[in-house]
Structure formats: C-alpha cells, structure tokens
Amino acid sequence: HEQDIATIMLAANETLVAEQFALLIEALPQDKRLSVWATYPEETQRAAFVDMGQGTRTSLIQALSDEECFDLLAQLDVDDVIEIAEEIPSRLLKYAIKSLDDSQRKLYQQAQQFSVDEVGHWLDYNYVRISEKLKITSAQLLLQKGLSPYTEDFYAVNKEGVLTGTVDINSLIQSDGENTLKTLFSPEIIKLNGHDELTAAAEAVILSGKMSLPVVDENDHFLGRFTVETAYQVKQETQTEQINSAAGLTTDEDLFSSVRTSAKNRGIWLGINLLTAFLASWFIGFFEATLQQVVALAVLMPVVASMGGVSGSQTLTVIVRGMALGQITEQNRKVLLRKELKVGGLNGIIWSVVIGAITYFWFDSAELSLVIALAILLNLLTASASGVMIPAILNKLNIDPALSGSVILTTVTDIVGFVVFLGLGSLLLL
Amino acid sequence: HEQDIATIMLAANETLVAEQFALLIEALPQDKRLSVWATYPEETQRAAFVDMGQGTRTSLIQALSDEECFDLLAQLDVDDVIEIAEEIPSRLLKYAIKSLDDSQRKLYQQAQQFSVDEVGHWLDYNYVRISEKLKITSAQLLLQKGLSPYTEDFYAVNKEGVLTGTVDINSLIQSDGENTLKTLFSPEIIKLNGHDELTAAAEAVILSGKMSLPVVDENDHFLGRFTVETAYQVKQETQTEQINSAAGLTTDEDLFSSVRTSAKNRGIWLGINLLTAFLASWFIGFFEATLQQVVALAVLMPVVASMGGVSGSQTLTVIVRGMALGQITEQNRKVLLRKELKVGGLNGIIWSVVIGAITYFWFDSAELSLVIALAILLNLLTASASGVMIPAILNKLNIDPALSGSVILTTVTDIVGFVVFLGLGSLLLL
C-alpha cells in the first residue's frame, strides 16, 4: 500500500488543487488516511476538512485528537462552520463557534434563524453590501478591495439595512458621474426571501442567469446573497440523494466507511425492501394451489413483475423531474395521467402481444398466452397510473417522491402484477 | 385549458426570467404550446429556444414554419449554435452557421475539431484574452468594456496565441504600476487541454475553486475558457442521464412528448428488460419439477431476487460514484472488493437469519428455511462482488457503468438468486 499512497500523493502534487485532497483521503482505506493527512499543509487540511463527505470527516475526527480538531476549527470562516455544523460532534461545534469573531458569530446566529431547508441558512457573506448614499466615485474606490467570486452586482441598502437597489459592477466601472449610486440602480430588484425553500431558490438562481441573487427577510432587510455555485451544489446534492435513495443508500456513505457503518446504513434499506418483498410473497401465497397445477405461472412471474416495475419507474421519473422543475400543476396532472395511460396502453398492447407469442411457442398453451398478455397489459396500465398518482399522493403527505416513490411504486406493480397474473391464471387455466 | 394557460402566463410574468419560459412551454400540452409561444417577446423566444429540452424544441420546430425557425436562428451566438447543433435538423443548422459572422464561424469550426465528449467542444468565447505585451494601465482600460460573467482572470497570450500567463482581475484593479502585465502573472497556470474528457474537465474546474479555467491545444495555443457554469451543467446532465437510464428512459423525454414518441422511447428499454426477464424465466424453467413439488419455493422467489438486486445496486452506486470522482484505482479496487464482500456477508448473515426465521414460522419447514437462508447469503455475496466487478469490466469495454451497470447487475443477481435458491431446493427438499 505504501506504493499506492506514493502514486496518489504524486497525482495530488501534480494537480495542486486543495479541494481534491478531500477526495484523495476518501479514496484511501481508513488505516492509511492519517499518515497521508499528516503530509498536507495546514491550510490544505482546513479546506479538505470542510470539503470532505460526512463519513470521511467522521472517520478523521475519530482518528485525530481533540486538540488537532480544535486547530482545524479555530480559523474557519462562518460559511464553513455553517456547512459542517450538523455533521460534527457538538463539543467541536461549540469550539468552532467560539472561535468566530463577533461579526461572524452574528452571521452564524442569523443563519440559525432559518431551517436547513430554507435559503436563509445557506447564504454567502462575502463583501457585496454598500450604502445607497455613496457617491459613484466612492463606490468605484471600493472595487480596489477586490471582488469576491460570483460578484457582478453590489447590493445597496439604506440606513435601516433595507435592500433598495442593485448596482451592476460593469455599469459602475464604466460610469464617470459624480452622482449618487441611485442613478445606477437596475430597474428591477430580483431577490429571494430567506424563508424560500432551498431547492426552489436554487432553481430560481440558476434560471435567473445571474451569478448570485440578494436574499432579504420579511421586512426587506438585506441578509446576504445566494450564489449560483451554492445553487448548483444544492441541486447536485438533491440529485445525488435521489440516485442514492433509488439504490437504497440512506446516508452519505464513504467509499471506505467501516464495514459496520456500511452494513448498518444499507441494512436498514434491505429491511424495508424485505417487508415489501414478503408482502408480494404473501399475495403469491394465496395462489399456491394454482401454482402447483400450472407451474408455468411460477416460471413466468418475474416477467410480469419486472415489466410493470420498469414501466412504472419510467413514468415516475418523468413526473418527479417535472415536479422538481415546478412544471406540474393540479390542472395538467389530469392531462398527464391521460397521456401516461395512453403510453402505458400502447406499450402494453405491443409487449403483451410479443410476450403472449413467446409464451405460446414456449409452453404451447393459448390460454396461458392469453393470461400473461392480459396481465402485462393491466400491469402496464396500473404502472402508468401509479407513476403519476403516487408522487402526487406523497407530495400531499409531505414525503419527497424522489426519495421514496420508487420503492412504493414497485411494491404496487409487483403485487398488482402477481395478483392479476395468478388470479387470471386461476380463473382461466384451472 | 384556457384557464391553465392564463395561470401559467401570470406566473411567468411575475418571475420575469427569460429562461423559465422554456420550462413553461414544456409544461403545456403540445396543442397549446404555439399559442403561448406567440405571446413571448422575440428575445425571450430566442433564449427559450436554446434553453429548452430537445424533445420540446423538436415539437416546436415541427409546429413553426421554416421561416419562423430561421428568424429564431438568425441572431444566435456561436455558443448557442454549438449547444443545439446536434439537436436540430441539418437545414436549420446550416442556416444558423451561415448567419454567424466570420469570427464566430471560425470559433464554430474550432469547436467541431473536438468531439462532443471533449472539453474543447464546449468552450466559452467571451472576452478574456489579452496580449501579454500590454502595459498594466492599458489592461485596466479594458475593464471599462465590462466583465463577462464568471470572469476573475484575463488570459495573456503571446504573438503566436500561446497562453503565457493568467492575470487576476483583482490584482489588475489594485495595481498602479506602469509595468507590463507579466509582473502580475499568477505563479502557476492551471489549464485544461481541449482534448480532455468533458466530465473529467468539469470535475477539475469545480474542484479548482476557480470560476473558469483556460483551455489550450497541444501547442499551448489559447482556445477559450471553460466556465464553472458549464461544468455544473455537464455534471448535472450526467447525473440526470444516470437517473433516467436507471429508470429506463433512453433519450431526453419531454413531459408532453407525443404518446408515440414516449411509447417508442420507453418501449426500447422495455424490450431490453424483457430479454433479461425471459432469461431469468428460462433459468427458472429448469426447476419446473422442483417447483411443482415444493410450491413454497415459487412463493418465496421474489424475496431472494429482490434482496440480491437491492444489495447489488447499493454496492454499484457507491462504486460508480467513486469512479466518477476518480477515486478508484487498480490497487484500491481489491481492497474495496474485500470490504464490499464483508458488508455483503455481514448483511447476508443478519438477513438470512431473519428471513430463515420468518420462513420457518410461515411454512413450518426447517429445510426450506435453511435453503432460503443459504440462498440469501450466497446472493448477497454475489451481489457485492458483482457491484464491484461489473463497473470495472464495463469500463474496460468502454461502456459507461453509470448507464448500463444497473440492468446487467440485476440480471446477474436475479439469475444467481433463482438458480441458487431453486438448485438448493432441488437438492435439499426433494
């Protein structure tokens, strides 16, 4: 392994990008991490500590002494502290908060007034707020301080801290007037409210085409800004969560999480899946007598279930995406349901004919062929309807359909598939 | 529906963001799109046309006359033309290219020298290139032109167009020297090569913490820059593709794509799935005699298959993510395989005991209980090994494991699960 580490460290020194160190640590087995970590410069350690996944950070905290952790936390910015606040032990969090200076601690407390699902919790506090009273020439001098990344506007506030206008940096640079800033205000302020839901706010920033939007409270006081960088990170995390949850990974798992952590994390989902699998088995159990007499039904069961599952997931994915983009309303849901039923029906007809034909040639039974064809058609129609309706129902129950829709849907299509197939078999084949 | 449209248009006018109009069009049934489209200002139409999904754009092109399409295409930037080039009919593409001015057409041709999987195809050509010979004061005057979004550096080139240095805009603003630009060059140039693989380049920009990186050819000639915005879009599209492909959606489907388009798009995947399902059925078929005598095996089959499928998907997802982040090497794959086998084994032992116990109480048969317990354990071990090895094999074959790994994996776990379960059943229960 010493050789692996050498290879990895060589790659690291070539790329020279602090944030990649976090990924490299994660790529190492747990017992090798500390020795590589110790080779990092202090600043890199700090950046990597904030940047790494929760699982990796937790393993590192366990390996380091509390004093070493305190050293890492002592010089973090408020943004970093907010980012890792929910993911580090409370004794470390307390220390990190204590180490902030007064103004930063105020910003931390401001962020805590918003839940982690609200945009107000995740603001960027880099320098962008200026007084509306400034003369243009004085504002131009402020540019000398340097611009933070993702800055194309200054946000002007009045004495009370109320956001009164946005000033485009490019107009500011080009202007040579002695006027007050107000003459440069953009005709309209596009802004977010701190209580706006985080993913919706992220979508809004991305769609706005701006690099950041100002965020205000109920009384229009300027709180900070929300950058397109954070917005993309939010969107990406939402998608990653969706991919993970579709696979049955409940929390952010690290490549080299301990066997115990990984097994526990995944075991929970295996347990949930087991419940739904036994539920399906229970339904199949009602048809034991039929299965005994027509064993071909048992042979073909997976075909009915998996076609329904795939078809339902297709509809579900299209609908969940539409919901995430705010495209689905009460009104167009009915139109969508009709459309999806038509798609399910059309594919149902085509594939039930194909499957019926294969079954006929395989088992030489027209009745069995009819039974499976009907079961496929009905299951694909059920799958289409479920794919539209399950997310709607989950949404009403405040459950995220992107995360739990899939397991519920396949439970439905499995059970309907088995019951219809074996039920029709009992009626027509016995 | 007139009411829906009124609601949607009202929302549109409130948000005032041109890019959202594309989403709104997609949220409308196809026969309503044209009447809403006609109400958009020309500039909004142009932005929305580029921004919308391929399916939506195709439906719109079909509804509009060629002259109307030409009007939309006549004033596009080269970036926009490159973005939609693969997705519009060739007569429209030809017109769009013809409408570019000479310098833009050269950039279009430059982009065509790189494949769509290479970063050189997707560059940003906004104004960031300056001559290395400039005096600092002249370069400062260039700021008056205004900065493009995502600009924090100018890229300095020599007479031959070779990238010789990057100049941080903030240092440029603050500097008051009469020196040449070279005194402001950053100590190191972090740059990409035009032939770099697109997703790797995207990851590099995101990790670099910069808003954009310069891109050069083999001879270090400056080609353009790659912004973090494009990088995030690439990453997002990759993830969306992964979500879609996991659900069996082969191309970018629009919410209101015609029934025929949707049915065809999804039917292909249903067909592939049918092959794998029948393959599983074929294996089950070998055990017809066993199933006839021990019908409880048929009842419990879904439990064995679904536990293996879930467990394998969990491993696969962790591995695919690690591969996307460049964390998996030849060396640590073996360590990972061992780890995943331990996780699979641990969960295998736990859940085989649980499942064995439930089976014992349900069917009152110690032998059946033993058979299913062993089958679960073996299938979970197979699933773990497959989850690590299938992506490695696909990668060697140049097949993207994020897209096709899942269907191959569940085929393996289904077949292994059925064969082990029914095979053990034949040995121990007959």
Side-chain angles (χ1 to χ4, degrees):
Chain A
H1 284 300
E2 302 311 311
Q3 210 191 339
D4 307 6
I5 294 172
T7 320
I8 288 174
M9 288 309 292
L10 188 68
N13 290 327
E14 271 171 13
T15 57
L16 286 160
V17 173
E19 280 80 356
Q20 287 186 305
F21 287 95
L23 289 178
L24 287 174
I25 287 288
E26 192 184 334
L28 292 170
Q30 296 212 344
D31 55 337
K32 304 289 171 198
R33 286 178 180 174
L34 212 49
S35 56
V36 174
W37 178 256
T39 68
Y40 289 7
E42 208 177 313
E43 207 172 322
T44 305
Q45 287 185 341
R46 210 171 292 131
F49 187 77
V50 174
D51 225 60
M52 60 183 49
Q54 179 171 5
T56 315
R57 194 186 302 110
T58 304
S59 84
L60 196 67
I61 290 174
Q62 280 160 0
L64 293 171
S65 71
D66 267 20
E67 279 66 39
E68 289 170 307
C69 289
F70 287 158
D71 281 349
L72 285 170
L73 295 166
Q75 289 178 56
L76 293 185
D77 281 337
V78 59
D79 316 56
D80 295 334
V81 177
I82 292 170
E83 194 171 332
I84 62 174
E86 278 82 29
E87 305 181 353
I88 58 174
S90 64
R91 67 177 191 289
L92 297 183
L93 178 59
K94 268 184 202 150
Y95 183 84
I97 296 170
K98 215 177 64 189
S99 309
L100 295 172
D101 66 31
D102 284 351
S103 65
Q104 297 242 310
R105 198 169 316 116
K106 262 190 199 138
L107 292 173
Y108 181 84
Q109 283 152 1
Q110 177 191 301
Q112 298 311 310
Q113 290 166 16
F114 300 93
S115 84
V116 292
D117 295 327
E118 292 175 337
V119 65
H121 194 91
W122 302 106
L123 300 184
D124 177 90
Y125 302 111
N126 277 313
Y127 186 72
V128 285
R129 176 222 298 255
I130 54 178
S131 160
E132 62 170 5
K133 290 280 177 66
L134 283 184
K135 289 241 180 294
I136 288 175
T137 43
S138 332
Q140 284 170 334
L141 284 176
L142 288 176
L143 291 173
Q144 303 271 350
K145 282 192 173 189
L147 292 173
S148 319
Y150 301 97
T151 304
E152 58 194 349
D153 294 304
F154 280 153
Y155 303 115
V157 297
N158 67 12
K159 264 190 314 206
E160 285 77 38
V162 169
L163 176 68
T164 53
T166 62
V167 179
D168 180 27
I169 303 276
N170 280 335
S171 338
L172 181 63
I173 293 178
Q174 287 160 44
S175 165
D176 51 5
E178 268 285 324
N179 291 323
T180 58
L181 272 184
K182 282 191 185 163
T183 56
L184 292 181
F185 280 6
S186 305
E188 230 146 345
I189 310 181
I190 307 177
K191 62 194 169 190
L192 299 169
N193 184 291
H195 290 292
D196 284 349
E197 204 268 321
L198 183 62
T199 54
E203 206 61 59
V205 175
I206 291 169
L207 288 172
S208 75
K210 307 280 286 179
M211 296 204 289
S212 57
L213 290 181
V215 180
V216 297
D217 68 11
E218 310 74 84
N219 303 316
D220 256 0
H221 292 110
F222 178 77
L223 297 175
R225 61 176 188 160
F226 190 56
T227 67
V228 71
E229 183 188 29
T230 316
Y232 272 116
Q233 284 167 354
V234 166
K235 202 165 171 186
Q236 215 177 276
E237 250 170 62
T238 312
Q239 281 192 325
T240 304
E241 220 179 315
Q242 194 180 342
I243 290 171
N244 281 347
S245 103
L249 296 168
T250 40
T251 62
D252 191 18
E253 199 182 305
D254 163 344
L255 207 51
F256 282 102
S257 292
S258 72
V259 171
R260 213 176 130 220
T261 309
S262 292
K264 196 173 148 196
N265 175 15
R266 304 188 200 173
I268 294 165
W269 193 254
L270 284 167
I272 294 170
N273 179 66
L274 186 62
L275 284 180
T276 75
F278 265 121
L279 192 63
S281 288
W282 187 59
F283 277 97
I284 298 173
F286 292 131
F287 300 96
E288 273 194 50
T290 310
L291 284 168
Q292 199 143 25
Q293 290 178 58
V294 192
V295 77
L297 289 173
V299 174
L300 292 171
M301 280 192 323
V303 175
V304 180
S306 85
M307 292 298 275
V310 168
S311 183
S313 300
Q314 291 174 329
T315 302
L316 183 74
T317 304
V318 170
I319 299 293
V320 164
R321 172 176 168 272
M323 286 170 79
L325 295 173
Q327 292 179 311
I328 296 187
T329 59
E330 277 306 315
Q331 291 94 335
N332 71 7
R333 181 171 289 121
K334 279 174 210 150
V335 188
L336 276 173
L337 180 60
R338 266 202 300 277
K339 184 211 146 176
E340 290 297 326
L341 283 174
K342 281 183 202 159
V343 174
L346 185 54
N347 267 320
I349 291 167
I350 292 168
W351 292 109
S352 63
V353 169
V354 173
I355 293 167
I358 296 173
T359 303
Y360 180 75
F361 287 112
W362 187 356
F363 294 96
D364 202 19
S365 156
E367 291 86 358
L368 183 60
S369 165
L370 178 67
V371 165
I372 197 167
L374 279 176
I376 291 284
L377 178 59
L378 285 173
N379 204 18
L380 260 58
L381 287 171
T382 309
S384 301
S386 309
V388 179
M389 297 318 295
I390 287 174
I393 295 165
L394 289 178
N395 217 33
K396 282 223 173 98
L397 300 173
N398 271 322
I399 301 172
D400 184 354
L403 302 188
S404 44
S406 177
V407 64
I408 296 174
L409 181 117
T410 47
T411 307
V412 170
T413 53
D414 273 4
I415 291 173
V416 170
F418 291 138
V419 169
V420 170
F421 182 49
L422 300 176
L424 284 172
S426 307
L427 288 176
L428 299 180
L429 300 177
L430 292 190
Chain B
H1 284 297
E2 302 310 312
Q3 210 190 342
D4 308 5
I5 295 172
T7 320
I8 288 174
M9 289 308 293
L10 188 66
N13 290 326
E14 271 170 13
T15 57
L16 287 158
V17 174
E19 281 81 356
Q20 286 186 306
F21 286 96
L23 289 177
L24 287 174
I25 287 289
E26 191 183 335
L28 292 170
Q30 297 211 344
D31 54 336
K32 305 290 170 197
R33 285 178 181 174
L34 211 50
S35 56
V36 174
W37 178 258
T39 68
Y40 289 6
E42 209 177 311
E43 206 172 323
T44 305
Q45 286 185 342
R46 210 170 292 130
F49 187 77
V50 174
D51 225 60
M52 60 183 50
Q54 178 170 5
T56 315
R57 194 187 302 109
T58 305
S59 84
L60 196 66
I61 290 174
Q62 280 161 358
L64 294 171
S65 72
D66 267 20
E67 279 66 39
E68 289 170 308
C69 290
F70 288 157
D71 281 348
L72 285 170
L73 296 166
Q75 289 178 59
L76 293 186
D77 282 337
V78 60
D79 318 56
D80 295 334
V81 176
I82 292 170
E83 194 171 332
I84 62 173
E86 278 82 30
E87 305 181 353
I88 57 174
S90 62
R91 67 177 191 290
L92 296 184
L93 178 59
K94 269 184 203 152
Y95 184 84
I97 296 169
K98 216 178 60 189
S99 308
L100 294 172
D101 65 32
D102 284 351
S103 64
Q104 299 243 307
R105 198 171 314 116
K106 263 191 199 138
L107 291 174
Y108 180 84
Q109 282 151 359
Q110 177 191 301
Q112 299 309 310
Q113 290 166 18
F114 299 93
S115 84
V116 292
D117 295 326
E118 293 174 336
V119 64
H121 194 92
W122 302 106
L123 300 183
D124 177 90
Y125 303 110
N126 276 312
Y127 186 72
V128 285
R129 176 220 300 251
I130 55 180
S131 159
E132 61 170 6
K133 290 279 177 67
L134 282 185
K135 289 240 180 294
I136 289 175
T137 42
S138 331
Q140 284 170 335
L141 284 175
L142 288 176
L143 292 173
Q144 302 271 348
K145 280 192 173 187
L147 293 172
S148 317
Y150 301 99
T151 304
E152 57 194 349
D153 293 304
F154 279 153
Y155 303 116
V157 297
N158 66 14
K159 264 190 314 209
E160 285 77 38
V162 169
L163 177 67
T164 53
T166 61
V167 179
D168 179 27
I169 302 275
N170 280 335
S171 338
L172 181 63
I173 293 179
Q174 288 160 42
S175 164
D176 50 6
E178 268 285 325
N179 293 321
T180 58
L181 270 186
K182 283 191 186 165
T183 57
L184 292 182
F185 280 7
S186 306
E188 231 146 345
I189 309 182
I190 306 176
K191 62 193 169 191
L192 300 169
N193 183 292
H195 289 292
D196 284 348
E197 203 268 323
L198 183 62
T199 54
E203 205 63 58
V205 175
I206 292 170
L207 288 173
S208 76
K210 308 278 288 176
M211 295 204 290
S212 57
L213 290 181
V215 180
V216 297
D217 67 11
E218 310 75 82
N219 304 315
D220 256 358
H221 291 110
F222 178 78
L223 297 174
R225 61 175 189 160
F226 190 56
T227 66
V228 70
E229 184 188 29
T230 317
Y232 272 117
Q233 284 166 356
V234 166
K235 201 163 172 187
Q236 216 177 277
E237 250 169 62
T238 313
Q239 282 192 325
T240 304
E241 221 179 313
Q242 193 180 341
I243 291 170
N244 282 347
S245 104
L249 296 168
T250 41
T251 62
D252 191 18
E253 197 181 308
D254 165 341
L255 208 51
F256 282 101
S257 291
S258 73
V259 171
R260 212 175 130 221
T261 310
S262 293
K264 195 172 151 199
N265 174 16
R266 305 187 199 173
I268 294 165
W269 193 254
L270 284 167
I272 295 171
N273 179 66
L274 186 61
L275 284 181
T276 77
F278 265 120
L279 192 62
S281 288
W282 186 60
F283 277 98
I284 298 173
F286 292 132
F287 300 96
E288 273 196 48
T290 311
L291 283 168
Q292 199 143 26
Q293 291 178 58
V294 194
V295 75
L297 289 173
V299 174
L300 292 171
M301 279 190 325
V303 175
V304 180
S306 86
M307 290 298 274
V310 167
S311 183
S313 301
Q314 291 175 329
T315 301
L316 183 75
T317 304
V318 170
I319 299 294
V320 164
R321 170 175 169 273
M323 286 170 79
L325 294 173
Q327 293 179 311
I328 296 187
T329 60
E330 278 305 316
Q331 291 95 334
N332 71 8
R333 183 172 288 123
K334 279 174 210 151
V335 188
L336 275 173
L337 181 59
R338 266 203 300 279
K339 185 210 145 174
E340 289 298 325
L341 283 174
K342 280 184 203 159
V343 174
L346 186 54
N347 267 320
I349 291 169
I350 292 168
W351 292 110
S352 63
V353 170
V354 172
I355 293 167
I358 296 173
T359 304
Y360 179 76
F361 287 112
W362 187 356
F363 293 98
D364 202 18
S365 155
E367 291 85 359
L368 182 61
S369 164
L370 179 68
V371 166
I372 195 166
L374 279 175
I376 291 283
L377 178 59
L378 285 172
N379 204 18
L380 259 58
L381 287 171
T382 310
S384 300
S386 309
V388 178
M389 298 317 297
I390 287 174
I393 295 165
L394 290 177
N395 217 33
K396 282 223 174 96
L397 300 173
N398 273 323
I399 301 171
D400 184 354
L403 301 188
S404 44
S406 176
V407 64
I408 297 174
L409 181 116
T410 45
T411 307
V412 171
T413 54
D414 273 4
I415 291 174
V416 171
F418 290 137
V419 169
V420 170
F421 182 49
L422 299 176
L424 284 172
S426 307
L427 288 175
L428 299 179
L429 300 177
L430 292 190

